[in-house]
Structures are given as C-alpha cells and as structure tokens.
Amino acid sequence: MIEIVAEKLQLKNGSGKYLLKHLICTKLHHWSTGRRPGAIGHLSRMRTFEDTYRHKGLRKQLVDTIKQKGITDERVLNAILHIPRHFFMDSAFDKIAYEDRAFPIGEGQTISQPYTVAYQSQLLEIKPYEKVLEIGTGSAYQACVLAEMGAQVYTIERQKKLFETNKSFLFLKKYLSLKFFYGDGFEGLPTYGPFDKVIVTAAAPFIPPKLVEQLKPGGKMVIPVGEGNVQRMLRLTKQPDGTTREEIFADFSFVPMLGGREGAGNGNGREK
C-alpha cells in the first residue's frame, strides 16, 4: 500500500515511502495519545522550526543547483540561501525539503520548485521598496523571497485554510513588508494599486485584464499562461498608452488559477 500511494504522490528516490511512513507513524501516535489526527498537508500542526547546520548546508547545495540551471541574480540566490524552506512545509518533508522540486502543502496546492520561484523572481527584476502584487500566496515562500529582496509584497490567497494558516505562521512576522489578503486573484487589489510588479503563481487561462489595469506604466507582470499540463511563462511590460509588450520564456507546470474565494462559508465553499 505504501508503494502504491507513494507512486501516486510521484515522489522519487524513496521520498514517497519516507513521507508515507512518517505520516502513518504520526497518525498512529495521535490515535494512541487521544489527539485528533490532522489531515495530510495541514501545515500548522506538523511544522518544525529548527534551522540546523545541515539545513543551511542543504540550502547552499540548492543555491548551487539553481545557479547551474541559469539563475544569475545574486539577490534572488541570496534570498533562497537565507530563507529556511523547510519551515514552510510539513515536518514529514524535512529530509527532502531542499530537493529542487515542488511538494504538496494541502488544499490541492503546492510549494513551488525552488528553481521556478527563482526564475519568476529573476524575471521580475525587483528593486528595493517596489510594490509587488502576488496572486496565489500558497505557502508564502515566494512572497518571503520577494520580501527578502526588499519588495513591499501584497499577496492574495483564495483558499481560506491556507490564508488562516499563514496568519498564524510566526516566521512571517519577520517581514514587516508582507501584507496578506483573502480574495479572488483575478480581481487583484485595486484599492492598494497601482503596483510596480505583478507575479502570478498559478496557471492562468488568460491574462487577467484587471491585473494589467493595476500595473503602473513601465511595470512588469510575470505570469504562466495556458490550460492543460504545461504553461508558457510570459513577462508583460505596461506601456504609457496602457498596452503591454509581451516576452515569451520557458514552459512550466503550475496548479490552475481559479476565480472566487474557496471556503468563504457560503454553503458551497466558494464566494464570487
């Protein structure tokens, strides 16, 4: 059974067996002690916040890996070097947290592959104190990378449980420049705009016009566009007349960008 579930999770090099065994043992411990077992991926119950020399060494190796893949922005590399990625994940992933790949975080979402985080961050060409709108907070790892680079980050999450988890995530208090919102990413945050940069961390079926409207002239948006399993990474630069200049980059695979707000308590779990 462990082998079957691990295969479905698509975890390589034995990672799937490690994760499943850890979670099964944790569940058994909860039941034996009378504690209510949490769901797989419920981060607030199973995180670890110790940053050891081993973790720091693994981060250095991760930075070397993404550097070899073409990431050259030293501020991006430095941010990834200094942010403990394992803090953002279930403790079951501790031994594999610095592998260059995505992992589930609950609610059908993932913490992105570090290379993808670095790639999008590099395309944004962040300058200190710029206002950045992020669509799809998720684990908040990408938002922290941008904040570590000096950006003022306004980040939207449509999943209520992930939004609430991040509200209680004490590590995020370190970044006073982070502001969290629960809402529909397609709508953006018009009250707080315009923004110097916009980053979308989910696969958009089209370029949301309201996000373009909230960009300053000369501002840039980095967004993966396309339906299906593969999307094309685009960078849009807003022109003085309101049109955009489009640059096309590599292919990536993201979870889909959805409208509305999930878990808003309106009977069907979604509020438009």
Side-chain angles (χ1 to χ4, degrees):
M1 177 61 74
I2 287 176
E3 284 78 3
I4 295 172
V5 180
E7 183 178 355
K8 287 183 179 294
L9 282 175
Q10 297 181 335
L11 298 175
K12 302 174 183 178
N13 302 325
S15 301
K17 293 182 183 179
Y18 166 79
L19 170 61
L20 267 296
K21 287 177 181 177
H22 179 99
L23 290 171
I24 289 168
C25 289
T26 301
K27 299 298 180 187
L28 290 174
H29 174 71
H30 284 171
W31 288 325
S32 67
T33 57
R35 291 171 59 193
R36 182 176 176 268
I40 291 176
H42 199 304
L43 297 180
S44 61
R45 290 181 186 161
M46 297 178 62
R47 280 178 167 167
T48 180
F49 298 106
E50 184 181 10
D51 192 26
T52 66
Y53 286 113
R54 180 182 68 84
H55 292 119
K56 292 172 183 176
L58 290 172
R59 279 203 297 282
K60 177 63 169 63
Q61 292 177 26
L62 174 60
V63 166
D64 290 342
T65 296
I66 62 177
K67 202 171 183 178
Q68 290 169 9
K69 291 183 176 182
I71 302 301
T72 58
D73 188 324
E74 288 297 331
R75 292 177 309 134
V76 173
L77 296 169
N78 190 62
I80 289 175
L81 180 64
H82 286 94
I83 297 175
R85 188 181 187 229
H86 63 286
F87 283 12
F88 297 78
M89 301 160 64
D90 192 291
S91 60
F93 293 101
D94 185 68
K95 291 186 178 179
I96 55 176
Y98 293 99
E99 294 183 8
D100 186 25
R101 54 197 178 94
F103 292 102
I105 58 170
E107 306 308 312
Q109 305 302 303
T110 62
I111 180 171
S112 293
Q113 178 184 1
Y115 172 69
T116 304
V117 171
Y119 192 96
Q120 287 195 286
S121 301
Q122 181 165 279
L123 285 182
L124 279 177
E125 299 178 345
I126 293 293
K127 296 179 177 64
Y129 308 111
E130 283 189 325
K131 285 175 62 177
V132 179
L133 173 63
E134 181 193 34
I135 307 303
T137 311
S139 69
Y141 178 69
Q142 171 73 80
C144 287
V145 168
L146 298 175
E148 186 77 26
M149 295 172 66
Q152 306 286 320
V153 184
Y154 297 72
T155 180
I156 304 176
E157 176 54 56
R158 69 178 294 276
Q159 293 281 355
K160 184 71 169 179
K161 288 183 180 179
L162 291 179
F163 173 74
E164 294 293 342
T165 295
N166 284 326
K167 280 176 61 177
S168 61
F169 184 9
L170 293 180
F171 177 77
L172 300 181
K173 307 297 182 186
K174 169 184 176 182
Y175 297 103
L176 300 179
S177 60
L178 275 179
K179 296 177 176 61
F180 296 87
F181 299 86
Y182 171 53
D184 183 343
F186 282 95
E187 299 295 320
L189 292 171
T191 305
Y192 295 88
F195 297 95
D196 298 290
K197 306 287 168 63
V198 174
I199 177 173
V200 178
T201 64
F206 56 86
I207 297 168
K210 291 184 179 180
L211 300 186
V212 176
E213 289 174 11
Q214 292 167 42
L215 260 183
K216 291 180 181 179
K220 298 180 188 299
M221 179 191 303
V222 173
I223 177 171
V225 178
E227 297 179 279
N229 295 325
V230 178
Q231 300 82 42
R232 180 63 54 88
M233 192 71 73
L234 304 181
R235 181 169 64 186
L236 310 177
T237 302
K238 190 171 183 178
Q239 306 300 304
D241 62 358
T243 61
T244 57
R245 178 171 59 86
E246 183 177 300
E247 298 171 272
I248 301 174
F249 294 91
D251 290 340
F252 288 86
S253 182
F254 285 80
V255 296
M257 181 179 176
L258 302 175
R261 294 187 296 169
E262 191 72 25
N266 64 337
N268 62 2
R270 177 173 295 180
E271 178 178 316
K272 292 291 187 184

